[in-house]
């Protein structure tokens, strides 16, 4: 994933300019401005100089827009081939000022940064390589260029730094607690993946990102799932979902992982089915509270099966009905996925491919194909909406059924605590007997009301209700 990039055009010439500027600063004497960078668990203090903005290059490897590069596959491919061309640098500029969740929209945070730079100037220096590639301050450079600034204050990294060193420095700067603008969610996942590819342990990466190790493993599971979905979304025309399509789904994906881990050890098939359905709902842009309704009860009650139209119902395929699937070349056989898992996966695949086609906006696709894909997504959205609404009603009904027993359990806990408080009050001779007697009378009144309601419509009451009725009747006869 991490690769050495070629030097930009006129790299040697710009390097000489940087050396000259650094020498001028040192020769001037007095207090020199430096910026501190963390590198190989050490701190280095590098000189800060003014460099012309026109000669600086946006960093193609910056973690800030790694996922957003997938917004336009054609321009991303050009960027991969020639990162220093005018077209590639313009694409980076476009992404730096765009919203992380939807690059078609300008980021309001970028405009706030631009306004701050216009009003107060540049407070903190950026960071560049000896060839003028921005390591830190890419977004600031884009904003300064829009303000038509001529130069930018930057610290200069040592000439010996490799691309691995450059990426490590950028990451350490980003993860400082006082950093003002965080990476987007998917870019954080990509940065973790990159660190793992460099041989760092989960414990080291978790410490670097200031998270728990279990959270690190959760994030890696989510990224692996996203990559699998992107691969499954590919259609015959090469259209596929992009990493940027999953920005904004952070909390829904985390909740999915927690549900999956909880169910996987108990019932793997149930976990897989709910995983597929939740991913489909996330892709259809249902809210976090809506997606939560897709749970064990949702599956048990068959909510989606009642609302799914025939056009989206997969039925039982021959592959799903197989007891075993052989592994070519090994002579081994493993259990095939259950029918329910295969059907859920087939439904998700159709939604994935249709969503990829619609989001791509490929102009050469026939209008009939576009309409067909959109109709499929509309049908799926409607079916999930009706199923989730029914699940919500069912959940509210279950909650009402459980509310009275839960209230009574809370009352019992309060009475148990009251016993302890009563003992302590008598020991210290601090009991207000009159107030306690009034509270007991209120308890008697409440129990009478409870007995009246509990006895209605119950021809064969259980032991608890029978005791309550007998106690109320005995108390009333006195």
């Amino acid at each position: 994933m991490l690769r050495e990039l070629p030097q930009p055009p006129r790299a040697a010439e710009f390097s000489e300019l940087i050396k000259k500027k650094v020498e001028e600063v040192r020769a001037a004497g007095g207090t020199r401005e430096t910026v501190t960078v963390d590198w190989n668990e050490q701190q280095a203090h590098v000189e800060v100089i003014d460099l012309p903005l026109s000669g600086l290059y946006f960093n193609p490897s910056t973690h800030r827009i790694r996922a957003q590069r997938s917004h336009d596959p054609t321009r991303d491919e050009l960027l991969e081939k020639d990162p220093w061309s005018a077209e590639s640098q313009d694409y980076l500029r476009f992404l730096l000022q765009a919203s992380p969740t939807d690059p078609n929209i300008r980021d309001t945070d970028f405009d706030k940064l631009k306004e701050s730079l216009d009003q107060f100037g540049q407070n903190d220096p950026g960071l560049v390589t000896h060839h003028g590639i921005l390591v830190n301050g890419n977004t600031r450079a884009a904003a300064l260029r829009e303000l038509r600034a001529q130069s930018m204050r930057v610290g200069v990294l040592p000439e010996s730094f490799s691309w691995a060193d450059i990426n490590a420095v950028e990451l350490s700067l980003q993860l400082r607690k006082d950093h003002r603008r965080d990476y987007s969610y998917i870019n954080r996942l990509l940065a973790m993946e990159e660190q793992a590819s460099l041989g760092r342990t989960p414990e080291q990466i978790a410490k670097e990102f200031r998270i728990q190790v279990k959270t690190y493993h959760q994030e890696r599971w989510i990224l692996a799932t996203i990559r699998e979905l992107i691969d499954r979304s590919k259609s015959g025309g090469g259209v596929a979902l992009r990493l940027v399509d999953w920005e904004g789904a952070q909390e829904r994906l985390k909740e999915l992982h927690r549900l999956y881990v909880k169910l996987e050890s108990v019932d793997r098939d149930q976990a897989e089915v709910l995983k597929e359905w939740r991913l489909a709902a996330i892709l259809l842009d249902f809210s976090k509270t809506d997606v939560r309704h897709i749970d064990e009860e949702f599956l048990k009650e068959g909510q989606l099966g009642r609302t799914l139209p025939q056009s989206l119902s997969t039925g039982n395929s021959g592959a799903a009905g197989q007891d075993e699937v052989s592994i070519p070349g090994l002579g081994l056989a493993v259990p095939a996925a259950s029918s329910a898992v295969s059907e859920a996966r087939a439904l998700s695949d159709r939604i994935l491919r249709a969503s990829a086609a619609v989001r791509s906006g490929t102009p050469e696709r026939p209008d009939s194909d576009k309409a067909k894909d959109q109709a499929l997504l509309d049908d799926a959205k409607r079916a999930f909406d009706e199923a989730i609404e029914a699940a919500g009603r069912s959940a509210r009904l279950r909650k009402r059924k459980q509310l009275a027993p839960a209230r009574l359990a809370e009352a019992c806990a309060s009475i148990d605590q009251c016993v302890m408080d009563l003992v302590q009050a008598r020991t210290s001779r601090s009991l207000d007997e009159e107030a306690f007697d009034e509270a007991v009378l209120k308890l008697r009144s409440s129990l009478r009301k409870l007995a009246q309601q509990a006895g209605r419509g119950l021809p064969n009451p259980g032991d608890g209700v029978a005791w309550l009725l007998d106690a109320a009747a005995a108390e009333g006869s006195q």
Side-chain angles (χ1 to χ4, degrees):
M1 187 172 178
L2 184 64
R3 68 187 183 97
E4 292 282 336
L5 294 176
Q7 292 183 359
R10 301 171 60 192
E13 179 183 339
F14 204 78
S15 181
E16 288 300 318
L17 172 64
I18 288 177
K19 290 176 183 178
K20 182 180 177 180
K21 289 265 189 181
V22 170
E23 289 172 1
E24 288 176 353
V25 168
R26 290 173 178 171
T31 303
R32 304 198 304 266
E33 183 181 9
T34 61
V35 61
T36 303
V37 297
D38 298 318
W39 175 59
N40 286 345
E41 299 184 355
Q42 297 179 351
Q43 287 191 332
H45 306 283
V46 299
E47 302 283 355
V48 174
I49 59 175
D50 269 331
L51 285 177
L53 265 171
S54 58
L56 298 178
Y57 287 94
F58 296 124
N59 182 7
S61 294
T62 179
H63 297 92
R64 182 172 298 286
I65 54 171
R66 188 75 59 82
Q68 286 68 32
R69 283 180 49 173
S70 63
H71 169 67
D72 188 332
T74 302
R75 297 175 77 179
D76 186 39
E77 184 179 357
L78 177 61
L79 178 59
E80 194 72 18
K81 290 179 180 178
D82 185 3
W84 315 120
S85 69
E87 295 82 359
S88 295
Q89 287 289 302
D90 185 63
Y91 185 44
L92 291 173
R93 179 205 57 77
F94 164 75
L95 294 176
L96 287 165
Q97 56 86 39
S99 167
T101 55
D102 184 359
N104 290 314
I105 301 173
R106 188 176 172 93
D107 191 3
T108 55
D109 286 341
F110 179 83
D111 286 327
K112 290 177 183 177
L113 172 64
K114 179 181 172 182
E115 182 181 348
S116 174
L117 288 169
D118 187 31
Q119 187 173 359
F120 304 108
Q122 182 187 353
N123 293 326
D124 302 315
L127 202 62
V128 297
T129 70
H130 243 269
H131 299 130
I133 303 167
L134 285 157
V135 177
N136 186 42
N138 283 271
T139 312
R140 273 172 286 168
L144 286 169
R145 284 182 178 178
E146 285 200 1
L147 292 169
R148 301 186 182 280
Q150 298 301 307
S151 64
M152 180 178 181
R153 286 174 28 252
V154 290
V156 182
L157 290 174
E159 195 171 2
S160 60
F161 267 38
S162 66
W163 273 102
D165 297 326
I166 291 167
N167 279 278
V169 166
E170 188 211 0
L171 190 61
S172 68
L173 286 168
Q174 174 59 41
L175 296 178
R176 284 181 178 175
K177 290 183 178 179
D178 60 349
H179 205 281
R180 296 181 182 176
R181 192 182 179 202
D182 293 334
Y183 290 151
S184 68
Y185 178 58
I186 302 298
N187 286 325
R188 280 180 63 86
L189 301 186
L190 293 173
M192 290 182 200
E193 180 185 58
E194 179 183 280
Q195 292 300 300
S197 71
L198 295 174
R200 305 194 69 193
T201 66
E203 290 75 18
Q204 290 173 323
I205 299 172
K207 182 179 179 181
E208 185 98 28
F209 281 79
R210 299 181 176 89
I211 58 176
Q212 296 181 358
V213 175
K214 67 177 183 180
T215 303
Y216 165 77
H217 289 299
Q218 178 189 62
E219 305 288 42
R220 295 303 308 276
W221 182 91
I222 288 173
L223 182 57
T225 299
I226 290 173
R227 290 197 183 282
E228 177 197 345
L229 294 172
I230 290 174
D231 190 58
R232 286 167 54 187
S233 71
K234 293 177 181 176
S235 58
V239 175
L241 288 171
R242 306 155 302 176
L243 286 168
V244 70
D245 292 325
W246 298 95
E247 291 282 16
Q250 175 177 350
E251 292 304 319
R252 288 171 289 174
L253 290 169
K254 284 178 176 289
E255 289 192 0
L256 165 62
H257 176 262
R258 288 194 287 270
L259 176 68
Y260 184 83
V261 169
K262 183 183 78 170
L263 297 179
E264 184 185 23
S265 59
V266 179
D267 188 335
R268 178 67 181 270
D269 283 354
Q270 184 185 57
E272 289 292 335
V273 170
L274 290 176
K275 171 188 170 185
E276 294 294 334
W277 284 352
R278 279 206 175 193
L279 287 169
I282 292 171
L283 200 57
L284 292 168
D285 204 26
F286 281 94
S287 69
K288 179 171 64 175
T289 52
D290 285 339
V291 174
R292 283 176 185 161
H293 286 307
I294 304 176
D295 56 11
E296 303 97 306
E297 292 297 328
F298 184 91
L299 178 59
K300 186 189 301 181
E301 295 174 3
Q303 299 287 7
L304 190 59
R306 289 197 288 268
T307 61
L308 207 62
Q310 189 64 35
S311 60
L312 287 174
S313 181
T314 58
N316 293 329
S317 63
Q322 294 176 357
D323 294 328
E324 292 183 335
V325 175
S326 61
I327 302 178
L330 296 180
L332 298 176
V334 296
S338 71
S339 174
V341 174
S342 297
E343 290 175 21
R345 188 179 178 90
L347 173 62
S348 294
D349 283 345
R350 295 185 65 185
I351 294 173
L352 284 165
R353 288 191 290 268
S355 182
V358 169
R359 294 181 188 220
S360 70
T362 308
E364 55 269 17
R365 291 185 69 240
D367 290 340
S368 58
D369 289 349
K370 295 178 184 177
K372 183 179 178 181
D373 289 327
Q374 187 59 59
L376 186 149
L377 293 179
D378 291 342
D379 289 344
K381 178 89 173 181
R382 193 158 38 247
F384 271 85
D385 193 28
E386 292 175 7
I388 288 171
E389 178 63 29
R393 290 195 300 268
S394 180
R396 290 191 292 273
L397 180 60
R398 286 196 303 273
K399 187 175 181 180
R400 283 198 297 270
K401 288 180 178 179
Q402 297 166 0
L403 194 57
R407 295 276 192 193
L408 197 54
E410 290 178 7
C412 291
S414 296
I415 290 175
D416 290 341
Q417 181 63 46
C418 176
V419 173
M420 298 175 62
D421 294 340
L422 181 61
V423 172
Q424 293 177 358
R426 279 180 171 168
T427 302
S428 61
R429 297 182 179 181
S430 59
L431 177 65
D432 186 338
E433 295 183 1
E434 185 177 346
F436 182 73
D437 191 64
E438 289 180 2
V440 172
L441 290 175
K442 289 182 180 179
L443 173 63
R444 181 179 67 174
S445 175
S446 296
L447 287 174
R448 281 177 176 173
K449 294 177 184 177
L450 181 62
Q452 289 175 356
Q453 296 301 323
R456 290 181 178 178
L458 289 177
N460 299 305
D463 292 343
V465 175
W467 170 86
L468 178 63
L469 295 176
D470 290 344
E475 197 275 336
S477 64
Q478 294 179 359

